[in-house]
Amino acid sequence: MKIDLLFGIFLGVVSLVFLAGQFEISKEKYHAHMFVGSIIVLFFAGMSLLEYLTGFLRPILGEERITLSAGHYTLFLTGLVALFMIFKKRMRSE
Protein backbone atom coordinates (compact mmCIF):
# COMPACT_ATOMS: atom_id res chain seq x y z
CA MET A 1 0.00 0.00 0.00
CA LYS A 2 2.94 2.35 0.51
CA ILE A 3 4.01 2.00 -3.11
CA ASP A 4 0.68 1.87 -4.97
CA LEU A 5 -1.94 4.16 -3.47
CA LEU A 6 -4.64 3.18 -5.98
CA PHE A 7 -4.29 -0.50 -5.07
CA GLY A 8 -4.46 0.38 -1.36
CA ILE A 9 -7.67 2.35 -1.87
CA PHE A 10 -9.05 -0.53 -3.94
CA LEU A 11 -8.37 -3.05 -1.18
CA GLY A 12 -9.90 -0.83 1.48
CA VAL A 13 -13.10 0.08 -0.34
CA VAL A 14 -13.84 -3.36 -1.72
CA SER A 15 -13.11 -5.02 1.61
CA LEU A 16 -15.53 -2.67 3.36
CA VAL A 17 -18.27 -3.32 0.81
CA PHE A 18 -17.94 -7.08 1.09
CA LEU A 19 -17.65 -6.84 4.89
CA ALA A 20 -20.87 -4.82 5.05
CA GLY A 21 -22.55 -7.58 3.03
CA GLN A 22 -21.60 -10.10 5.71
CA PHE A 23 -23.55 -8.19 8.38
CA GLU A 24 -26.77 -8.14 6.36
CA ILE A 25 -29.33 -10.75 7.32
CA SER A 26 -31.26 -10.93 4.05
CA LYS A 27 -29.80 -12.97 1.19
CA GLU A 28 -30.97 -10.35 -1.33
CA LYS A 29 -29.01 -7.60 0.39
CA TYR A 30 -25.91 -9.82 0.47
CA HIS A 31 -26.20 -10.34 -3.26
CA ALA A 32 -26.62 -6.59 -3.69
CA HIS A 33 -23.35 -6.00 -1.84
CA MET A 34 -21.66 -8.61 -4.05
CA PHE A 35 -22.99 -6.84 -7.15
CA VAL A 36 -21.91 -3.37 -5.97
CA GLY A 37 -18.52 -4.70 -4.88
CA SER A 38 -18.07 -6.29 -8.30
CA ILE A 39 -18.87 -3.00 -10.01
CA ILE A 40 -16.30 -1.19 -7.83
CA VAL A 41 -13.65 -3.82 -8.63
CA LEU A 42 -14.46 -3.54 -12.33
CA PHE A 43 -14.13 0.25 -12.18
CA PHE A 44 -10.69 0.12 -10.55
CA ALA A 45 -9.51 -2.61 -12.93
CA GLY A 46 -10.73 -0.59 -15.92
CA MET A 47 -8.96 2.54 -14.72
CA SER A 48 -5.74 0.63 -14.18
CA LEU A 49 -6.00 -0.99 -17.62
CA LEU A 50 -6.71 2.38 -19.23
CA GLU A 51 -3.68 3.87 -17.47
CA TYR A 52 -1.51 1.04 -18.78
CA LEU A 53 -2.88 1.19 -22.34
CA THR A 54 -2.28 4.93 -22.58
CA GLY A 55 1.28 4.42 -21.31
CA PHE A 56 2.67 4.94 -24.82
CA LEU A 57 1.91 8.65 -24.37
CA ARG A 58 4.15 8.95 -21.30
CA PRO A 59 7.51 8.94 -23.16
CA ILE A 60 6.17 11.60 -25.52
CA LEU A 61 5.39 13.77 -22.49
CA GLY A 62 8.80 13.07 -20.97
CA GLU A 63 7.59 10.70 -18.26
CA GLU A 64 8.71 7.19 -17.39
CA ARG A 65 6.84 4.19 -18.84
CA ILE A 66 4.55 2.22 -16.55
CA THR A 67 5.67 -1.26 -15.58
CA LEU A 68 3.13 -3.79 -14.41
CA SER A 69 3.42 -4.95 -10.83
CA ALA A 70 1.84 -7.83 -8.93
CA GLY A 71 -0.89 -5.41 -7.85
CA HIS A 72 -1.82 -4.71 -11.45
CA TYR A 73 -2.06 -8.40 -12.28
CA THR A 74 -4.20 -9.02 -9.20
CA LEU A 75 -6.44 -6.12 -10.12
CA PHE A 76 -6.87 -7.37 -13.70
CA LEU A 77 -7.69 -10.88 -12.45
CA THR A 78 -10.24 -9.63 -9.93
CA GLY A 79 -11.68 -7.39 -12.64
CA LEU A 80 -12.30 -10.43 -14.83
CA VAL A 81 -13.96 -12.24 -11.93
CA ALA A 82 -16.06 -9.15 -11.20
CA LEU A 83 -17.13 -8.95 -14.83
CA PHE A 84 -18.22 -12.58 -14.62
CA MET A 85 -20.19 -11.85 -11.41
CA ILE A 86 -21.95 -8.88 -13.00
CA PHE A 87 -22.97 -10.83 -16.10
CA LYS A 88 -24.07 -13.77 -13.95
CA LYS A 89 -26.26 -11.43 -11.87
CA ARG A 90 -27.75 -9.80 -14.98
CA MET A 91 -28.49 -13.19 -16.56
CA ARG A 92 -30.15 -14.44 -13.40
CA SER A 93 -32.33 -11.33 -13.02
CA GLU A 94 -33.69 -11.44 -16.58
Side-chain angles (χ1 to χ4, degrees):
M1 285 178 47
K2 292 179 183 178
I3 297 171
D4 195 357
L5 183 62
L6 181 63
F7 190 62
I9 292 170
F10 159 74
L11 285 177
V13 168
V14 172
S15 298
L16 288 175
V17 169
F18 290 133
L19 183 66
Q22 293 296 321
F23 293 116
E24 297 291 339
I25 296 172
S26 172
K27 287 278 191 190
E28 292 174 4
K29 290 182 180 178
Y30 178 71
H31 289 299
H33 276 89
M34 290 290 287
F35 186 71
V36 170
S38 297
I39 289 174
I40 292 170
V41 169
L42 191 61
F43 172 76
F44 277 106
M47 292 301 292
S48 183
L49 183 65
L50 184 64
E51 179 186 22
Y52 176 71
L53 291 177
T54 58
F56 69 91
L57 293 173
R58 290 178 151 251
I60 296 171
L61 298 173
E63 297 179 8
E64 194 175 310
R65 276 196 80 128
I66 296 175
T67 57
L68 293 178
S69 64
H72 285 99
Y73 292 121
T74 305
L75 196 54
F76 295 151
L77 179 66
T78 56
L80 288 174
V81 172
L83 190 61
F84 174 74
M85 292 291 291
I86 290 171
F87 280 127
K88 187 173 109 176
K89 176 74 173 173
R90 293 189 90 209
M91 295 281 193
R92 193 180 293 166
S93 66
E94 289 179 4

XYZ file of all heavy atoms in Angstrom:
753
model
N 0.807 -1.186 0.000
C 0.000 0.000 0.000
C 0.859 1.263 0.000
O 0.396 2.288 -0.458
C -0.937 0.015 1.200
C -2.111 -0.935 1.041
S -3.234 -1.024 2.441
C -3.537 0.650 2.835
N 2.076 1.174 0.495
C 2.935 2.348 0.511
C 3.387 2.722 -0.886
O 3.588 3.891 -1.178
C 4.163 2.090 1.388
C 3.855 1.963 2.842
C 5.116 1.690 3.628
C 4.801 1.500 5.092
N 5.997 1.199 5.872
N 3.510 1.736 -1.766
C 4.006 1.998 -3.110
C 2.875 2.395 -4.051
O 2.978 3.366 -4.787
C 4.745 0.760 -3.659
C 5.969 0.475 -2.799
C 5.132 0.954 -5.109
C 6.649 -0.830 -3.108
N 1.771 1.649 -4.028
C 0.682 1.867 -4.973
C -0.565 2.315 -4.213
O -1.299 1.494 -3.653
C 0.419 0.580 -5.754
C -0.427 0.798 -6.987
O -0.865 1.943 -7.209
O -0.644 -0.169 -7.728
N -0.824 3.604 -4.209
C -1.944 4.159 -3.469
C -3.275 3.688 -4.039
O -4.211 3.387 -3.285
C -1.871 5.683 -3.474
C -2.949 6.403 -2.678
C -2.855 6.032 -1.207
C -2.833 7.897 -2.861
N -3.392 3.610 -5.361
C -4.638 3.177 -5.981
C -5.001 1.762 -5.541
O -6.153 1.479 -5.231
C -4.536 3.238 -7.506
C -5.779 2.823 -8.283
C -6.924 3.765 -7.983
C -5.491 2.805 -9.764
N -4.022 0.875 -5.490
C -4.290 -0.495 -5.067
C -4.674 -0.539 -3.589
O -5.536 -1.319 -3.197
C -3.074 -1.383 -5.337
C -3.348 -2.839 -5.154
C -4.276 -3.481 -5.946
C -2.684 -3.557 -4.180
C -4.532 -4.829 -5.782
C -2.934 -4.896 -4.005
C -3.865 -5.537 -4.811
N -4.090 0.306 -2.770
C -4.455 0.376 -1.362
C -5.887 0.848 -1.168
O -6.630 0.302 -0.348
N -6.286 1.862 -1.933
C -7.665 2.346 -1.866
C -8.618 1.258 -2.342
O -9.673 1.031 -1.753
C -7.824 3.633 -2.705
C -7.049 4.770 -2.055
C -9.289 4.015 -2.854
C -6.953 6.016 -2.921
N -8.249 0.577 -3.401
C -9.050 -0.527 -3.935
C -9.285 -1.587 -2.865
O -10.412 -2.017 -2.639
C -8.337 -1.130 -5.152
C -8.756 -2.518 -5.494
C -9.977 -2.756 -6.084
C -7.931 -3.594 -5.217
C -10.369 -4.043 -6.401
C -8.304 -4.880 -5.530
C -9.535 -5.107 -6.119
N -8.231 -2.012 -2.203
C -8.369 -3.048 -1.180
C -9.265 -2.582 -0.033
O -10.103 -3.344 0.454
C -6.999 -3.440 -0.629
C -6.136 -4.301 -1.518
C -4.782 -4.538 -0.854
C -6.806 -5.614 -1.821
N -9.096 -1.348 0.382
C -9.896 -0.834 1.482
C -11.377 -0.719 1.153
O -12.229 -1.179 1.918
N -11.700 -0.127 0.025
C -13.099 0.084 -0.344
C -13.808 -1.237 -0.607
O -14.910 -1.485 -0.095
C -13.197 1.009 -1.585
C -14.597 1.018 -2.155
C -12.767 2.410 -1.225
N -13.197 -2.093 -1.379
C -13.839 -3.360 -1.716
C -13.993 -4.237 -0.475
O -15.025 -4.879 -0.284
C -13.061 -4.090 -2.829
C -13.594 -5.475 -3.057
C -13.140 -3.288 -4.105
N -13.009 -4.233 0.379
C -13.112 -5.022 1.612
C -14.262 -4.531 2.477
O -15.001 -5.337 3.056
C -11.807 -4.953 2.397
O -10.759 -5.498 1.659
N -14.423 -3.213 2.565
C -15.526 -2.674 3.363
C -16.889 -3.003 2.763
O -17.841 -3.287 3.494
C -15.365 -1.165 3.523
C -14.257 -0.715 4.455
C -14.127 0.803 4.439
C -14.513 -1.208 5.860
N -17.000 -2.982 1.444
C -18.274 -3.317 0.807
C -18.627 -4.775 1.057
O -19.752 -5.107 1.452
C -18.231 -3.028 -0.713
C -19.433 -3.621 -1.415
C -18.170 -1.532 -0.959
N -17.665 -5.672 0.869
C -17.943 -7.080 1.089
C -18.155 -7.387 2.569
O -18.962 -8.240 2.930
C -16.826 -7.949 0.512
C -16.788 -7.943 -0.989
C -15.593 -7.755 -1.654
C -17.930 -8.125 -1.742
C -15.546 -7.755 -3.034
C -17.903 -8.123 -3.113
C -16.709 -7.942 -3.775
N -17.463 -6.655 3.461
C -17.655 -6.837 4.893
C -19.049 -6.380 5.311
O -19.707 -7.036 6.125
C -16.584 -6.059 5.666
C -16.610 -6.205 7.183
C -16.280 -7.641 7.582
C -15.630 -5.244 7.815
N -19.514 -5.287 4.755
C -20.869 -4.816 5.051
C -21.904 -5.834 4.588
O -22.944 -5.992 5.222
C -21.114 -3.464 4.381
N -21.631 -6.532 3.505
C -22.545 -7.577 3.035
C -22.631 -8.745 3.993
O -23.667 -9.408 4.068
N -21.583 -8.994 4.748
C -21.596 -10.104 5.708
C -22.508 -9.814 6.899
O -23.018 -10.739 7.514
C -20.176 -10.387 6.219
C -19.252 -10.922 5.169
C -19.692 -12.277 4.662
O -20.154 -13.120 5.409
N -19.545 -12.463 3.366
N -22.721 -8.539 7.231
C -23.550 -8.186 8.378
C -25.031 -8.083 8.022
O -25.851 -7.909 8.907
C -23.067 -6.879 9.004
C -21.719 -7.010 9.642
C -20.643 -6.305 9.156
C -21.530 -7.852 10.725
C -19.390 -6.428 9.736
C -20.288 -7.987 11.313
C -19.218 -7.270 10.819
N -25.373 -8.183 6.762
C -26.768 -8.145 6.360
C -27.402 -9.507 6.605
O -26.782 -10.547 6.378
C -26.884 -7.790 4.872
C -26.350 -6.421 4.522
C -27.190 -5.290 5.065
O -28.372 -5.505 5.376
O -26.653 -4.188 5.190
N -28.635 -9.496 7.026
C -29.330 -10.749 7.319
C -29.983 -11.321 6.068
O -29.941 -12.521 5.830
C -30.384 -10.525 8.423
C -29.677 -10.125 9.724
C -31.236 -11.759 8.628
C -30.596 -9.691 10.818
N -30.548 -10.480 5.242
C -31.262 -10.926 4.050
C -30.286 -11.387 2.971
O -29.254 -10.775 2.745
C -32.121 -9.781 3.507
O -32.668 -10.129 2.264
N -30.631 -12.474 2.293
C -29.796 -12.971 1.191
C -29.783 -11.982 0.025
O -28.800 -11.847 -0.666
C -30.309 -14.322 0.691
C -30.037 -15.456 1.614
C -28.654 -15.930 1.409
C -28.434 -17.234 2.135
N -27.084 -17.633 2.183
N -30.901 -11.305 -0.209
C -30.970 -10.354 -1.327
C -30.015 -9.189 -1.109
O -29.373 -8.733 -2.038
C -32.399 -9.843 -1.493
C -33.365 -10.913 -1.958
C -34.789 -10.411 -1.981
O -35.018 -9.224 -1.721
O -35.666 -11.232 -2.249
N -29.919 -8.702 0.116
C -29.009 -7.596 0.391
C -27.569 -8.045 0.246
O -26.722 -7.297 -0.189
C -29.258 -7.032 1.788
C -30.576 -6.285 1.885
C -30.761 -5.703 3.248
C -32.086 -4.966 3.327
N -32.332 -4.414 4.647
N -27.268 -9.302 0.629
C -25.911 -9.816 0.473
C -25.540 -9.870 -1.000
O -24.445 -9.499 -1.379
C -25.790 -11.198 1.111
C -24.429 -11.796 0.932
C -23.340 -11.277 1.614
C -24.223 -12.854 0.073
C -22.078 -11.804 1.455
C -22.963 -13.396 -0.091
C -21.903 -12.866 0.600
O -20.665 -13.391 0.426
N -26.467 -10.300 -1.831
C -26.200 -10.339 -3.260
C -26.054 -8.929 -3.824
O -25.294 -8.714 -4.760
C -27.300 -11.107 -4.005
C -27.270 -12.574 -3.742
N -26.189 -13.356 -4.060
C -28.177 -13.395 -3.176
C -26.424 -14.600 -3.724
N -27.637 -14.658 -3.171
N -26.764 -7.972 -3.245
C -26.622 -6.587 -3.687
C -25.222 -6.071 -3.360
O -24.606 -5.376 -4.174
C -27.679 -5.709 -3.024
N -24.701 -6.422 -2.189
C -23.347 -6.004 -1.842
C -22.325 -6.674 -2.752
O -21.323 -6.076 -3.118
C -23.036 -6.319 -0.377
C -23.518 -5.283 0.567
N -24.765 -5.320 1.113
C -22.926 -4.163 1.048
C -24.929 -4.279 1.897
N -23.817 -3.552 1.878
N -22.556 -7.927 -3.117
C -21.655 -8.611 -4.046
C -21.673 -7.913 -5.405
O -20.637 -7.740 -6.042
C -22.063 -10.077 -4.216
C -21.824 -10.923 -3.005
S -20.086 -11.184 -2.699
C -19.704 -12.324 -3.992
N -22.852 -7.505 -5.862
C -22.987 -6.836 -7.149
C -22.293 -5.473 -7.129
O -21.520 -5.146 -8.032
C -24.468 -6.685 -7.501
C -24.717 -6.142 -8.867
C -24.467 -6.906 -9.993
C -25.223 -4.870 -9.039
C -24.693 -6.416 -11.254
C -25.455 -4.366 -10.297
C -25.190 -5.132 -11.408
N -22.533 -4.701 -6.071
C -21.915 -3.374 -5.966
C -20.395 -3.508 -5.821
O -19.635 -2.761 -6.444
C -22.514 -2.578 -4.792
C -21.728 -1.323 -4.506
C -23.965 -2.236 -5.081
N -19.950 -4.463 -5.022
C -18.517 -4.698 -4.883
C -17.878 -5.086 -6.199
O -16.770 -4.650 -6.522
N -18.586 -5.896 -6.988
C -18.068 -6.289 -8.296
C -17.960 -5.101 -9.237
O -17.004 -4.993 -10.005
C -18.963 -7.362 -8.913
O -18.953 -8.526 -8.136
N -18.923 -4.203 -9.171
C -18.871 -3.004 -10.009
C -17.685 -2.120 -9.608
O -16.974 -1.587 -10.464
C -20.201 -2.226 -9.936
C -21.284 -3.007 -10.660
C -20.063 -0.834 -10.529
C -22.669 -2.431 -10.545
N -17.440 -1.997 -8.303
C -16.303 -1.193 -7.834
C -14.992 -1.805 -8.304
O -14.087 -1.102 -8.777
C -16.344 -1.040 -6.305
C -17.537 -0.182 -5.892
C -15.056 -0.434 -5.780
C -17.797 -0.159 -4.408
N -14.868 -3.129 -8.183
C -13.652 -3.817 -8.634
C -13.464 -3.604 -10.134
O -12.355 -3.325 -10.600
C -13.721 -5.322 -8.302
C -12.619 -6.086 -8.998
C -13.640 -5.544 -6.815
N -14.542 -3.727 -10.891
C -14.462 -3.542 -12.331
C -14.043 -2.122 -12.689
O -13.251 -1.914 -13.611
C -15.805 -3.879 -12.979
C -15.830 -3.983 -14.484
C -14.885 -5.084 -14.959
C -17.234 -4.263 -14.969
N -14.519 -1.140 -11.946
C -14.129 0.248 -12.183
C -12.630 0.441 -11.968
O -11.937 1.019 -12.812
C -14.921 1.190 -11.259
C -14.448 2.604 -11.306
C -14.765 3.420 -12.385
C -13.675 3.135 -10.286
C -14.319 4.731 -12.445
C -13.225 4.439 -10.328
C -13.555 5.240 -11.413
N -12.117 -0.038 -10.834
C -10.694 0.120 -10.547
C -9.833 -0.640 -11.558
O -8.783 -0.151 -11.983
C -10.359 -0.341 -9.129
C -10.629 0.702 -8.085
C -11.713 0.589 -7.237
C -9.800 1.789 -7.945
C -11.959 1.541 -6.269
C -10.028 2.756 -6.984
C -11.119 2.626 -6.141
N -10.267 -1.836 -11.944
C -9.507 -2.608 -12.933
C -9.512 -1.899 -14.282
O -8.489 -1.849 -14.975
C -10.091 -4.008 -13.073
N -10.643 -1.323 -14.659
C -10.730 -0.588 -15.917
C -9.847 0.647 -15.919
O -9.179 0.942 -16.914
N -9.818 1.359 -14.806
C -8.963 2.538 -14.718
C -7.492 2.158 -14.792
O -6.701 2.829 -15.449
C -9.248 3.311 -13.420
C -10.613 3.956 -13.381
S -10.894 5.118 -14.728
C -9.757 6.403 -14.288
N -7.124 1.081 -14.149
C -5.735 0.628 -14.183
C -5.347 0.168 -15.590
O -4.254 0.452 -16.067
C -5.541 -0.505 -13.178
O -4.212 -0.918 -13.148
N -6.257 -0.543 -16.251
C -5.998 -0.989 -17.618
C -5.898 0.200 -18.564
O -5.018 0.242 -19.427
C -7.093 -1.948 -18.081
C -6.928 -2.549 -19.467
C -5.700 -3.452 -19.503
C -8.164 -3.333 -19.859
N -6.760 1.179 -18.401
C -6.707 2.381 -19.231
C -5.398 3.144 -19.015
O -4.780 3.618 -19.974
C -7.900 3.286 -18.915
C -8.054 4.530 -19.758
C -8.318 4.163 -21.213
C -9.185 5.383 -19.225
N -4.952 3.214 -17.770
C -3.680 3.875 -17.473
C -2.522 3.137 -18.152
O -1.620 3.760 -18.707
C -3.452 3.907 -15.965
C -2.153 4.552 -15.571
C -1.880 4.449 -14.089
O -2.440 3.554 -13.419
O -1.086 5.265 -13.604
N -2.580 1.810 -18.139
C -1.507 1.039 -18.776
C -1.554 1.163 -20.296
O -0.517 1.311 -20.945
C -1.599 -0.433 -18.368
C -0.581 -1.290 -19.063
C 0.763 -1.193 -18.734
C -0.947 -2.169 -20.067
C 1.719 -1.956 -19.381
C -0.003 -2.939 -20.719
C 1.318 -2.832 -20.374
O 2.264 -3.581 -21.019
N -2.763 1.128 -20.879
C -2.885 1.193 -22.335
C -2.498 2.558 -22.898
O -2.037 2.652 -24.029
C -4.309 0.829 -22.768
C -4.704 -0.635 -22.561
C -6.154 -0.846 -22.959
C -3.795 -1.564 -23.335
N -2.681 3.598 -22.119
C -2.278 4.930 -22.580
C -0.838 5.241 -22.183
O -0.394 6.377 -22.319
C -3.212 6.016 -22.024
O -3.206 5.956 -20.601
C -4.622 5.854 -22.555
N -0.103 4.238 -21.734
C 1.277 4.418 -21.312
C 2.209 4.807 -22.435
O 3.291 5.350 -22.182
N 1.807 4.549 -23.699
C 2.675 4.938 -24.818
C 2.779 6.458 -24.940
O 3.709 6.975 -25.558
C 2.181 4.325 -26.128
C 0.885 4.902 -26.625
C 0.885 5.981 -27.488
C -0.329 4.374 -26.229
C -0.295 6.523 -27.956
C -1.518 4.897 -26.696
C -1.506 5.975 -27.560
N 1.859 7.193 -24.329
C 1.914 8.651 -24.370
C 2.926 9.225 -23.370
O 3.400 10.340 -23.546
C 0.537 9.246 -24.069
C -0.547 8.990 -25.108
C -1.876 9.498 -24.592
C -0.186 9.649 -26.420
N 3.259 8.467 -22.353
C 4.150 8.952 -21.301
C 5.538 9.336 -21.829
O 6.047 10.391 -21.454
C 4.256 7.934 -20.178
C 2.963 7.843 -19.417
C 3.055 6.799 -18.317
N 2.168 7.215 -17.263
C 2.562 7.670 -16.082
N 3.825 7.709 -15.791
N 1.693 8.062 -15.200
N 6.198 8.507 -22.660
C 7.513 8.937 -23.159
C 7.443 10.204 -24.011
O 8.376 11.006 -24.019
C 7.992 7.750 -23.992
C 7.247 6.582 -23.471
C 5.919 7.131 -23.035
N 6.341 10.387 -24.718
C 6.172 11.603 -25.521
C 6.120 12.831 -24.607
O 6.663 13.889 -24.947
C 4.891 11.502 -26.383
C 5.032 10.360 -27.398
C 4.600 12.820 -27.085
C 3.757 10.048 -28.141
N 5.504 12.670 -23.444
C 5.388 13.773 -22.492
C 6.598 13.883 -21.570
O 6.636 14.740 -20.690
C 4.122 13.589 -21.648
C 2.811 13.596 -22.431
C 1.650 13.227 -21.521
C 2.581 14.938 -23.086
N 7.583 13.008 -21.758
C 8.799 13.069 -20.972
C 8.708 12.340 -19.642
O 9.504 12.599 -18.745
N 7.742 11.455 -19.496
C 7.594 10.699 -18.260
C 8.083 9.271 -18.454
O 8.297 8.816 -19.567
C 6.132 10.690 -17.809
C 5.595 12.061 -17.468
C 4.143 12.012 -17.047
O 3.608 10.910 -16.868
O 3.547 13.078 -16.913
N 8.235 8.573 -17.361
C 8.711 7.191 -17.392
C 7.561 6.243 -17.729
O 6.423 6.457 -17.320
C 9.270 6.837 -16.005
C 10.091 5.598 -15.967
C 10.701 5.409 -14.593
O 11.305 6.356 -14.078
O 10.549 4.308 -14.056
N 7.859 5.188 -18.486
C 6.838 4.191 -18.837
C 6.366 3.438 -17.606
O 7.104 3.252 -16.666
C 7.393 3.181 -19.824
C 7.322 3.662 -21.253
C 7.503 2.493 -22.162
N 6.235 1.783 -22.248
C 5.652 1.467 -23.378
N 6.227 1.755 -24.505
N 4.503 0.842 -23.387
N 5.132 2.985 -17.653
C 4.554 2.221 -16.553
C 4.961 0.757 -16.695
O 4.885 0.184 -17.772
C 3.018 2.318 -16.585
C 2.565 3.754 -16.359
C 2.399 1.397 -15.550
C 1.080 3.938 -16.494
N 5.395 0.175 -15.600
C 5.668 -1.259 -15.577
C 4.595 -1.921 -14.724
O 4.150 -1.363 -13.722
C 7.051 -1.558 -14.979
O 7.118 -1.014 -13.669
C 8.156 -0.950 -15.838
N 4.171 -3.085 -15.145
C 3.133 -3.791 -14.407
C 3.720 -4.462 -13.175
O 4.779 -5.065 -13.223
C 2.473 -4.844 -15.303
C 1.661 -4.285 -16.474
C 1.094 -5.422 -17.301
C 0.537 -3.409 -15.970
N 3.001 -4.341 -12.076
C 3.422 -4.950 -10.825
C 2.461 -6.084 -10.476
O 1.477 -6.325 -11.176
C 3.435 -3.909 -9.706
O 2.120 -3.448 -9.477
N 2.729 -6.752 -9.382
C 1.841 -7.825 -8.927
C 0.457 -7.278 -8.602
O -0.561 -7.953 -8.799
C 2.447 -8.519 -7.711
N 0.395 -6.043 -8.125
C -0.890 -5.409 -7.847
C -1.738 -5.227 -9.094
O -2.951 -5.414 -9.060
N -1.091 -4.864 -10.197
C -1.820 -4.712 -11.454
C -2.399 -6.045 -11.919
O -3.551 -6.123 -12.338
C -0.911 -4.152 -12.539
C -0.615 -2.703 -12.385
N 0.551 -2.260 -11.815
C -1.324 -1.605 -12.712
C 0.549 -0.948 -11.811
N -0.580 -0.515 -12.345
N -1.583 -7.088 -11.853
C -2.065 -8.404 -12.279
C -3.216 -8.886 -11.404
O -4.190 -9.445 -11.900
C -0.924 -9.429 -12.274
C 0.110 -9.163 -13.327
C 1.441 -8.952 -12.983
C -0.235 -9.107 -14.673
C 2.403 -8.704 -13.946
C 0.715 -8.849 -15.645
C 2.033 -8.655 -15.278
O 2.973 -8.404 -16.241
N -3.115 -8.648 -10.103
C -4.198 -9.019 -9.195
C -5.459 -8.232 -9.512
O -6.568 -8.781 -9.520
C -3.780 -8.751 -7.735
O -2.563 -9.440 -7.467
C -4.841 -9.186 -6.770
N -5.300 -6.961 -9.789
C -6.440 -6.115 -10.121
C -7.088 -6.550 -11.430
O -8.318 -6.595 -11.533
C -5.982 -4.658 -10.205
C -7.023 -3.568 -10.165
C -7.907 -3.720 -8.948
C -6.355 -2.217 -10.131
N -6.297 -6.898 -12.426
C -6.866 -7.372 -13.695
C -7.607 -8.693 -13.499
O -8.683 -8.900 -14.062
C -5.777 -7.543 -14.757
C -5.104 -6.253 -15.157
C -3.799 -6.260 -15.590
C -5.767 -5.050 -15.101
C -3.163 -5.084 -15.961
C -5.152 -3.859 -15.462
C -3.848 -3.882 -15.891
N -7.046 -9.588 -12.697
C -7.688 -10.878 -12.448
C -9.002 -10.698 -11.696
O -10.022 -11.285 -12.073
C -6.745 -11.796 -11.659
C -7.301 -13.165 -11.316
C -7.525 -13.974 -12.590
C -6.368 -13.896 -10.377
N -8.995 -9.875 -10.658
C -10.236 -9.635 -9.932
C -11.249 -8.872 -10.783
O -12.453 -9.039 -10.606
C -9.974 -8.871 -8.613
O -9.278 -7.668 -8.905
C -9.229 -9.717 -7.630
N -10.768 -8.061 -11.710
C -11.678 -7.388 -12.645
C -12.385 -8.373 -13.552
O -13.575 -8.232 -13.829
N -11.667 -9.388 -14.005
C -12.301 -10.431 -14.827
C -13.330 -11.221 -14.026
O -14.418 -11.528 -14.523
C -11.241 -11.377 -15.395
C -10.371 -10.819 -16.503
C -9.275 -11.822 -16.865
C -11.220 -10.504 -17.726
N -13.001 -11.536 -12.784
C -13.957 -12.244 -11.926
C -15.177 -11.368 -11.664
O -16.312 -11.841 -11.689
C -13.275 -12.675 -10.603
C -14.285 -13.234 -9.627
C -12.182 -13.683 -10.876
N -14.957 -10.073 -11.431
C -16.061 -9.150 -11.200
C -16.949 -9.037 -12.430
O -18.175 -8.977 -12.318
C -15.525 -7.776 -10.813
N -16.348 -9.008 -13.597
C -17.126 -8.954 -14.834
C -17.996 -10.197 -14.961
O -19.174 -10.109 -15.330
C -16.187 -8.825 -16.032
C -16.812 -8.529 -17.378
C -17.548 -7.201 -17.339
C -15.744 -8.510 -18.454
N -17.446 -11.342 -14.609
C -18.223 -12.577 -14.618
C -19.378 -12.504 -13.627
O -20.499 -12.917 -13.937
C -17.315 -13.775 -14.291
C -18.051 -15.053 -14.131
C -18.561 -15.721 -15.232
C -18.232 -15.601 -12.870
C -19.249 -16.911 -15.083
C -18.913 -16.777 -12.708
C -19.427 -17.439 -13.819
N -19.136 -11.969 -12.422
C -20.195 -11.855 -11.406
C -21.310 -10.918 -11.866
O -22.487 -11.186 -11.632
C -19.602 -11.338 -10.091
C -18.675 -12.278 -9.396
S -19.489 -13.718 -8.735
C -20.442 -12.983 -7.432
N -20.932 -9.832 -12.538
C -21.946 -8.881 -13.003
C -22.808 -9.515 -14.089
O -24.036 -9.410 -14.058
C -21.275 -7.584 -13.503
C -20.691 -6.823 -12.323
C -22.254 -6.712 -14.261
C -19.821 -5.658 -12.705
N -22.179 -10.186 -15.041
C -22.966 -10.829 -16.099
C -23.813 -11.962 -15.550
O -24.942 -12.175 -15.992
C -22.061 -11.336 -17.223
C -21.641 -10.264 -18.175
C -20.310 -10.063 -18.459
C -22.578 -9.447 -18.788
C -19.911 -9.075 -19.335
C -22.204 -8.449 -19.658
C -20.859 -8.258 -19.935
N -23.296 -12.690 -14.566
C -24.065 -13.765 -13.945
C -25.298 -13.200 -13.253
O -26.388 -13.753 -13.360
C -23.185 -14.518 -12.950
C -23.821 -15.741 -12.364
C -22.814 -16.504 -11.527
C -23.191 -16.343 -10.088
N -22.362 -17.115 -9.176
N -25.142 -12.079 -12.567
C -26.261 -11.435 -11.869
C -27.283 -10.916 -12.874
O -28.483 -11.063 -12.671
C -25.734 -10.294 -10.999
C -26.781 -9.496 -10.294
C -27.364 -10.256 -9.157
C -28.302 -9.336 -8.369
N -29.019 -10.041 -7.356
N -26.826 -10.333 -13.981
C -27.750 -9.803 -14.976
C -28.495 -10.937 -15.670
O -29.667 -10.811 -15.968
C -26.999 -8.961 -16.006
C -26.425 -7.692 -15.386
C -25.879 -6.771 -16.404
N -26.977 -5.899 -16.781
C -27.113 -5.343 -17.967
N -26.232 -5.561 -18.897
N -28.118 -4.558 -18.219
N -27.829 -12.063 -15.920
C -28.494 -13.194 -16.562
C -29.544 -13.781 -15.638
O -30.617 -14.161 -16.079
C -27.463 -14.284 -16.919
C -26.483 -13.881 -17.931
S -27.224 -13.976 -19.544
C -25.794 -13.845 -20.552
N -29.236 -13.852 -14.362
C -30.149 -14.439 -13.403
C -31.382 -13.561 -13.192
O -32.473 -14.052 -12.995
C -29.438 -14.645 -12.068
C -30.208 -15.523 -11.128
C -29.489 -15.715 -9.822
N -28.269 -16.484 -10.044
C -27.322 -16.582 -9.158
N -27.421 -15.970 -8.003
N -26.232 -17.295 -9.397
N -31.224 -12.231 -13.259
C -32.330 -11.327 -13.015
C -33.278 -11.202 -14.203
O -34.401 -10.786 -14.054
C -31.812 -9.942 -12.611
O -31.127 -9.351 -13.693
N -32.818 -11.573 -15.402
C -33.688 -11.437 -16.576
C -34.585 -12.607 -16.781
O -34.678 -13.594 -16.318
C -32.831 -11.268 -17.830
C -32.173 -9.923 -17.868
C -31.304 -9.752 -19.098
O -31.277 -10.656 -19.957
O -30.662 -8.713 -19.203
